[in-house]
Amino acid sequence: MTATPMLELRGVRKTFGNVISLDGVSTSVRAGEVTCVLGDNGAGKSTLIKILSGVHRPDAGELLLDGAPVTFAGPRDALDAGIATVYQDLAMIPLMAIWRNFFLGREPTKGRGPFRRFDSRTARAVAREQLLRMGIDIRDPDQPVGTLSGGERQSVAIARAVYFGARLLILDEPTSALGVKQAGMVLKHIVQARDRGLGVVFITHNPHHAYPVGDRFLLLKRGRSLGDHAKADITREEMTALMAGGAELEELAHELERDPASPAGRVAADLTEEASALGIHPDGR
């Protein structure tokens, strides 16, 4: 593990009017490691992504790149620094060919001056080669990207970011709308990116996806940190319990607890069972 993190947040705060979106959040990302940022809707994950990718500037705290304070004037600054963000919508055109999407906005050319033109042969070959390196053997690079599975489209986006020089990859909920098999494919590609020496920020609400691939875990709730843990310091069960709000589950179960045979009673029983599975006992232990 390198001594200096590739990217570090120290006490970052961001507000929008009277709404506190992030408050005193700190974490770090190192080359060859995956930092997972977990939290439910409204936890501040989207704001964190936008600060890391240069869309927003923090109101307080600082961002350090390779140990030096940095301020991004916009997304282009972050991209030039090697920080690539893969958003949920993937920034792809479904009816356009895979290879065209791979080079969208960065098309290779050949020729000079008025004779310069799009080098489609190179684009096709490079797109196919890079996808093969990610473990995807596409049937036809001319097929529309919309015909790929969700996991395959995520892989195209990851391969594209790596090819264009990303040092740090930010993945915005890449497994949220995928089935088990496709989510597994994306997790495999996250590990591949990590093993190639990239730093990865994996944004998710699912601890079962985060824990197998993560090296560090930042837990957010309503803009505040519930903890920033190395993998050796927290188990998946502890992380799940923190995210689930064990005390809140127990309180709700007691409120609903009436006749065990009633619908409310059955809901209470389910909640109690869920809390017990998380290692949360009725007395709060």
Side-chain angles (χ1 to χ4, degrees), residues 1 4 20 33 45 53 79 86 128 141-142 146 207 233 260 281:
M1 183 175 67
T4 303
I20 300 173
E33 288 192 356
K45 302 191 304 294
S53 61
L79 198 57
V86 177
R128 183 155 197 162
D142 285 302
D233 299 331
H281 301 279

Side-chain angles (χ1 to χ4, degrees), residues 198-274:
L198 275 72
V200 180
V201 178
F202 176 22
I203 311 291
T204 182
H205 63 273
N206 191 329
H208 299 285
H209 290 169
Y211 200 79
V213 301
D215 298 290
R216 174 164 292 278
F217 305 95
L218 171 64
L219 309 181
L220 295 177
K221 183 175 182 179
R222 298 177 183 174
R224 292 176 172 84
S225 174
L226 295 178
D228 180 42
H229 305 277
K231 191 167 191 172
D233 299 331
I234 190 170
T235 66
R236 178 166 54 189
E237 290 71 24
E238 289 169 340
M239 186 165 65
T240 304
L242 280 171
M243 289 185 62
E248 294 173 12
L249 280 177
E250 278 297 316
E251 183 179 347
L252 182 57
H254 286 305
E255 288 179 5
L256 293 172
E257 200 167 21
R258 296 189 183 92
D259 179 3
S262 69
R266 289 195 294 272
V267 170
D270 289 342
L271 287 170
T272 302
E273 183 178 348
E274 182 175 351

Side-chain angles (χ1 to χ4, degrees), residues 89 91-98 101 104 142-148 153:
D89 60 12
M92 291 186 182
I93 301 175
L95 297 179
M96 190 175 282
I98 295 168
N101 272 282
L104 192 63
D142 285 302
Q143 71 185 92
V145 78
T147 63
L148 299 178
R153 287 196 296 272

Side-chain angles (χ1 to χ4, degrees), residues 9-71:
L9 287 83
R10 293 181 181 173
V12 166
R13 178 182 173 89
K14 182 65 182 177
T15 61
F16 297 95
N18 293 326
V19 177
I20 300 173
S21 189
L22 290 175
D23 188 12
V25 172
S26 301
T27 192
S28 61
V29 190
R30 287 178 165 82
E33 288 192 356
V34 179
T35 294
C36 299
V37 180
L38 298 105
D40 289 330
N41 292 338
K45 302 191 304 294
S46 295
T47 302
L48 183 66
I49 292 172
K50 290 177 180 177
I51 287 175
L52 294 178
S53 61
V55 176
H56 294 324
R57 295 187 186 184
D59 299 324
E62 59 181 347
L63 195 63
L64 291 85
L65 185 66
D66 298 321
V70 65
T71 300

Side-chain angles (χ1 to χ4, degrees), residues 6 65-66 70 72 75-84 165-168:
M6 178 184 294
L65 185 66
D66 298 321
V70 65
F72 297 134
R76 174 57 61 181
D77 278 359
L79 198 57
D80 290 343
I83 300 173
R167 300 171 54 219
L168 190 147

